[in-house]
Amino acid sequence: MKTIYLDIFSGISGDMFLGAMIDLGVGLEPLKAELRKLSLQGYHLHTTRVKRQEIDAVKLDVHLGGEHGHEHEHGHEHTHENGHEHSHEHEHGHEHGRTYAEIARLIAQSGLSEWVKTKATAVFHRLAVAEGKVHGLPPAEVHFHEVGAVDSIVDIVGACAALEFLGKPRILAGAVVEGTGWIDCAHGRFPIPAPATLEVLAARGVPISQCDEPNEMITPTGAALLAELVESFGPMEGLVPERVGIGAGGRVSRTRPNVLRAVLGETSAVGGASASPAHDWEIDTVAVLETNLDDVSAEILGDFAEKAMAAGALDVSCTAAQMKKGRPGVRLSVLCGAAEADRFSEMILRQTSAFGVRRWLTERRKLRREFQSVSTPFGDVTLKIGRLDGTIVQTAPEFESCRKLAEKGNVPLKAVYEAALAAALTPR
């Protein structure tokens, strides 16, 4: 399967990622054309080839103010990229900027593909949740200063559009490495990692290591791209390289070239040999955690399942099991991201009566998903659509969307659910 492996030994920022994608073969003009589908003015993109400690790389810059206007110094040297310092200048009375809700609306109303809209909004949501947690705000109210907002939108939407140009490959990455030291931001003088960066990576359960580079290496936007797009983190395995792209940061680092290396190639499910998938389904790797319990109450298991799902588990289930000495018991299973296996293993051991947890990695095949809104007599309902080889094979109303309408209209949930399915089947 087509795969990109991100070598993040020198960190990652939005512009480094885009630079690497352009070096992999994404055309700058087609990328500009995609970004023009947004109602976003006052910027232009520029690329140059630079060297970082004799490594040739593509440097992408976002210039603000038009072709000949003010140039915003955008790059990996900027410790306040994408909603870090700029995102909260409204606290000091700044009038300009965009909230996360406004940015999500901008993306939704654009002419971009549904895949790019969904991915870009999800990346932005991770940033908004992180900033909201740092400042005690709901994600929808998180404010991005005008400069940070434009940079963020270009970097994030551009990154997702670039991946679509490359055929929507699966994304893998190496260990996440951050620098050390201090940064000056709207939150005051803070140790690296920056608060928003740390919150984004923590929410996904991504392990972080620090090195002796005395600068910020991972920006909040870079962290959000990793958290949303990367299936798993670890050494390169079974990848047959085809092309290598190098994206440059703005700073010349002291201990290593300030570049992001992206390796495009083929991986397969078995043995790492090159193989072409028979279908267009998505493939990812997840962890399965299991333990057998015969001395835990249903109340504790229910509480654990609720907390695990809230913490980001993909699924939690309980199955009847026959234990030793003929005791009836329960097999507790948790499905989670591969990088989050340790976190959920600890959660099982701390919050249930388990003395041990079995775990293994397994591959999933997933339908390509998109979300659509349909009108019903009770209001608009969000549908989750699953496609295989371009054909819709699954349609499911989103539960929360139906539940809210049922409560608002004081009608049975089943009625809203059936109305949404009927609307989905009606030709439009």
Side-chain angles (χ1 to χ4, degrees), residues 4 7 34 87 98 186 206 296 362 394:
I4 289 178
D7 221 344
E34 284 299 295
S87 64
R98 289 180 171 93
V206 179
V296 62
T362 187
Q394 299 289 351

Side-chain angles (χ1 to χ4, degrees), residues 28-271:
L28 182 59
E29 291 308 315
L31 186 62
K32 289 179 179 178
E34 284 299 295
L35 289 168
R36 281 196 291 270
K37 294 178 181 179
L38 290 162
S39 299
L40 191 66
Q41 307 297 326
Y43 78 94
H44 72 279
L45 303 182
H46 179 67
T47 59
T48 53
R49 296 209 71 90
V50 299
K51 288 189 182 296
R52 295 288 182 260
Q53 297 183 9
E54 300 307 310
I55 300 295
D56 189 61
V58 170
K59 178 71 173 71
L60 175 83
D61 288 294
V62 180
H63 301 288
L64 300 188
E67 290 289 334
H68 305 291
H70 169 67
E71 178 181 328
H72 171 57
E73 289 295 329
H74 174 69
H76 198 39
E77 77 279 4
H78 220 304
T79 59
H80 314 305
E81 176 206 12
N82 301 339
H84 186 185
E85 177 176 43
H86 299 307
S87 64
H88 292 287
E89 290 199 15
H90 70 296
E91 296 173 358
H92 307 290
H94 202 293
E95 297 178 358
H96 303 291
R98 289 180 171 93
T99 63
Y100 161 70
E102 291 169 338
I103 292 173
R105 192 178 310 117
L106 176 75
I107 295 172
Q109 294 173 350
S110 73
L112 295 161
S113 73
E114 289 301 318
W115 188 87
V116 171
K117 288 180 183 179
T118 300
K119 289 293 185 184
T121 303
V123 175
F124 254 115
H125 186 258
R126 289 184 181 270
L127 273 179
V129 168
E131 286 284 359
K133 188 172 181 181
V134 170
H135 293 277
L137 293 171
E141 296 178 16
V142 168
H143 211 85
F144 293 79
H145 173 266
E146 187 64 26
V147 171
V150 172
D151 274 354
S152 301
I153 294 167
V154 170
D155 284 346
I156 292 172
V157 175
C160 297
L163 291 175
E164 187 173 54
F165 279 127
L166 292 172
K168 305 175 187 175
R170 67 191 300 212
I171 310 295
L172 307 176
V176 176
V177 179
E178 174 63 295
T180 57
W182 296 79
I183 54 171
D184 294 311
C185 58
H187 322 309
R189 190 164 172 80
F190 247 83
I192 296 170
T197 298
L198 193 59
E199 289 294 343
V200 168
L201 296 176
R204 167 70 195 273
V206 179
I208 314 167
S209 299
Q210 289 183 291
C211 66
D212 56 353
E213 177 62 31
N215 292 295
E216 181 187 45
M217 295 166 59
I218 301 173
T219 65
T221 294
L225 289 170
L226 290 177
E228 182 60 36
L229 300 175
V230 175
E231 290 182 12
S232 61
F233 298 85
M236 195 182 303
E237 182 178 359
L239 176 67
V240 180
E242 294 176 1
R243 297 201 300 274
V244 177
I246 308 289
R251 180 196 303 117
V252 176
S253 298
R254 301 184 192 180
T255 63
R256 64 201 66 209
N258 187 15
V259 298
L260 171 69
R261 181 167 69 176
V263 183
L264 176 66
E266 288 281 349
T267 57
S268 68
V270 181

